[in-house]
């Protein structure tokens, strides 16, 4: 009898245990992307030009200039305040703007930007402090996301300073969940400098992820700055397959117009970022830009390559020392092609149809995307003289 009672008890426990474990782990639906940024985000960010030296006047002037310069017409939308907008948290833990620099408050600034038909972005950090030592979002993720939504934020850049032993994926996942719970559509820009290989897990967590440390306004590494434009470019090789509509590799913001590269070098920078399907986030002083800078940033032929609906990141398809060919497949079977000359002398560079994945007999129309002229049709290959540190960029179509 005693044995029977024990067996009954064991059966009962097993039954309860199996029921409980079934309860504890219902099958999880796969995480879905947030459906935003189906083409690479375009906009402006305060950091590359202004660093911490920002205030509401600087941000409003950038929004004004984005409209008056033709940048908005060319497709730029997001006006993003980077680090240093923050004050302290109040007694409830709510994050406050720096009252001296932003006396009208963040909501008023967002309203100003929205009234121009633009979108508004802001910056925080997955750790306790931002890279410039302002309050980060660690432990306040849901509270901050709710606050951003109430202010009218459309884009969050989320940095990786002061994170110590935090896990990358779960830290970004927490803020991703918090943004969704806020009920507002907010593009999520992951900025861990590639530390946690976000291309491996970021697809359903964010919309873009930095692949490297910070860019600096220079052709190549120099004076203790490691990531000149060409160094960043080289670090993109191999990541092409991870990008697609809604989730982009981010080789960092543009330096076009900041003064330490030449006109040819800035044209190369812009052309190559477009072929990479990179987010096009201008980082110069929009209110005081030269006609040359504007002609680069508003080149609609090149922006169309970046924004092509197929959403495939281009790759380096040929390399011979300092001479390279980069190509990006386009919707409808065309290709955008950048002939890139890293050397100190002008050089003739050619691309074969084979390198583009075309049969040699295929005839294609050719358009020069810097002169905006249609060139004679080409079959089998295309060649052009390319200036030192410069590019020739074309598209070939049916
Ligand atoms: C990091 C980021 C930069 C910028 C600064 C701000 O370095 O990578 O893009 O946001 O922080 O402090």
């Amino acid at each position: 009898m005693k044995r029977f009672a024990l067996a009954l008890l064991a059966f009962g426990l097993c039954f309860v245990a199996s029921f409980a474990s079934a309860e504890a782990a219902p099958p999880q639906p796969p995480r879905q992307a947030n459906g935003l940024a189906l083409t690479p985000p375009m906009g402006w960010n305060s950091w590359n030009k202004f660093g911490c030296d920002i205030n509401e006047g600087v941000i409003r002037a950038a929004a004004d200039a984005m409209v008056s310069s033709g940048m908005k017409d060319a497709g730029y939308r997001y006006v993003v305040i980077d680090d240093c907008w923050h004050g302290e948290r109040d007694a409830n833990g709510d994050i406050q703007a720096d009252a001296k620099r932003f006396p009208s408050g963040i909501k008023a600034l967002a309203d100003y930007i929205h009234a121009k038909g633009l979108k508004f972005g802001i910056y925080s950090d997955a750790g306790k402090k931002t890279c410039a030592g302002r309050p980060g979002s660690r432990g306040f993720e849901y509270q901050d996301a709710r606050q951003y939504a109430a202010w009218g934020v459309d884009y969050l850049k989320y940095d990786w300073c002061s994170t110590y032993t935090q896990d990358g994926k779960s830290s970004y996942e927490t803020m991703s969940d918090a943004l969704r719970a806020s009920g507002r559509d907010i593009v999520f820009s992951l900025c861990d400098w590639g530390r946690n290989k976000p291309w491996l897990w970021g697809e359903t967590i964010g919309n873009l992820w930095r692949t490297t440390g910070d860019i600096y306004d220079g052709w190549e590494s120099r004076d203790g700055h490691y990531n000149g434009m060409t160094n960043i470019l080289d670090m993109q090789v191999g990541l092409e397959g991870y990008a697609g509509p809604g989730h982009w590799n981010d080789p960092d913001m543009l330096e076009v117009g900041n003064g330490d590269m030449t006109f040819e070098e800035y044209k190369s920078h812009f052309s190559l970022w477009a072929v990479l399907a990179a987010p096009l986030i201008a980082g110069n002083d929009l209110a005081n830009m030269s006609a040359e800078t504007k002609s680069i940033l508003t080149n609609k032929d090149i922006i169309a390559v970046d924004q092509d609906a197929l959403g495939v990141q281009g790759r380096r398809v040929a390399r011979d020392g300092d001479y390279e060919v980069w190509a990006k497949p386009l919707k409808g079977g065309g290709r955008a092609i950048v002939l890139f000359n890293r050397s100190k002398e002008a050089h003739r560079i050619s691309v074969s149809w084979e390198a583009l994945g075309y049969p040699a007999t295929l005839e294609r129309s050719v358009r020069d995307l810097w002169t905006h002229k249609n060139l004679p049709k080409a079959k089998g290959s295309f060649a052009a003289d390319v200036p030192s540190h410069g590019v020739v960029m074309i598209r070939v179509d049916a």
Side-chain angles (χ1 to χ4, degrees), residues 98-317:
D98 180 326
K100 285 211 183 75
R101 292 166 182 268
F102 295 88
S104 315
I106 301 295
K107 174 80 168 67
L109 190 52
D111 289 347
Y112 183 87
I113 289 166
H114 288 148
K116 293 184 170 289
L118 299 171
K119 289 182 177 281
F120 174 60
I122 212 165
Y123 163 101
S124 188
D125 188 288
K128 281 214 153 53
K129 286 196 182 305
T130 71
C131 294
R134 306 304 197 272
S137 290
R138 173 88 165 136
F140 294 89
E141 292 88 351
Y142 281 77
Q143 193 169 352
D144 285 354
R146 267 201 307 276
Q147 178 67 81
Y148 301 153
W151 281 339
V153 167
D154 307 298
Y155 181 112
L156 175 67
K157 173 175 168 181
Y158 206 50
D159 218 336
W160 190 242
C161 277
S162 317
T163 49
Y164 308 103
T165 57
Q166 276 176 241
D167 174 63
K169 182 181 175 199
S170 49
S171 298
Y172 280 99
E173 204 163 25
T174 302
M175 186 46 107
S176 178
D177 290 344
L179 292 174
R180 288 178 202 207
S182 80
R184 189 172 169 90
D185 280 345
I186 300 179
V187 169
F188 192 28
S189 159
L190 281 50
C191 180
D192 83 331
W193 326 304
R195 287 281 169 83
N196 303 283
K197 295 191 167 59
W199 46 86
L200 297 179
W201 46 260
E203 177 172 344
T204 56
I205 291 178
N207 302 103
L208 56 156
W209 49 75
R210 282 272 299 278
T211 54
T212 68
D214 290 4
I215 192 172
Y216 97 104
D217 185 17
W219 172 254
E220 60 194 348
S221 50
R222 177 165 41 88
D223 305 335
H225 295 287
Y226 298 112
N227 298 320
M229 186 274 285
T230 55
N231 309 110
I232 299 250
L233 177 70
D234 289 336
M235 289 186 266
Q236 308 313 308
V237 172
L239 299 179
E240 300 87 0
Y242 297 106
H247 52 98
W248 309 99
N249 288 309
D250 175 8
D252 207 357
M253 304 173 292
L254 297 165
E255 291 285 8
V256 176
N258 279 336
D260 283 338
M261 283 191 264
T262 65
F263 183 47
E264 286 304 329
E265 289 170 345
Y266 283 137
K267 283 167 65 185
S268 301
H269 179 19
F270 196 68
S271 304
L272 289 158
W273 261 233
V275 126
L276 290 172
L280 295 179
I281 309 292
N284 59 314
D285 182 0
L286 297 185
N288 296 293
M289 65 179 154
S290 68
E292 277 191 346
T293 297
K294 189 157 61 171
S295 75
I296 297 174
L297 291 173
T298 60
N299 183 325
K300 290 186 183 173
D301 274 337
I302 292 180
I303 290 169
V305 168
D306 180 78
Q307 297 288 304
D308 184 77
L310 191 60
V312 172
Q313 179 171 332
R315 62 182 70 230
R316 185 159 56 200
V317 296

Side-chain angles (χ1 to χ4, degrees), residues 19-54:
F19 189 75
S21 72
E23 274 290 285
Q28 292 291 312
R31 194 185 173 85
Q32 299 291 316
N34 62 9
L36 304 173
L38 298 181
T39 62
M42 294 176 64
W44 174 87
N45 172 299
S46 54
W47 185 255
N48 282 357
K49 172 69 186 175
F50 295 97
C52 269
D53 199 9
I54 50 168

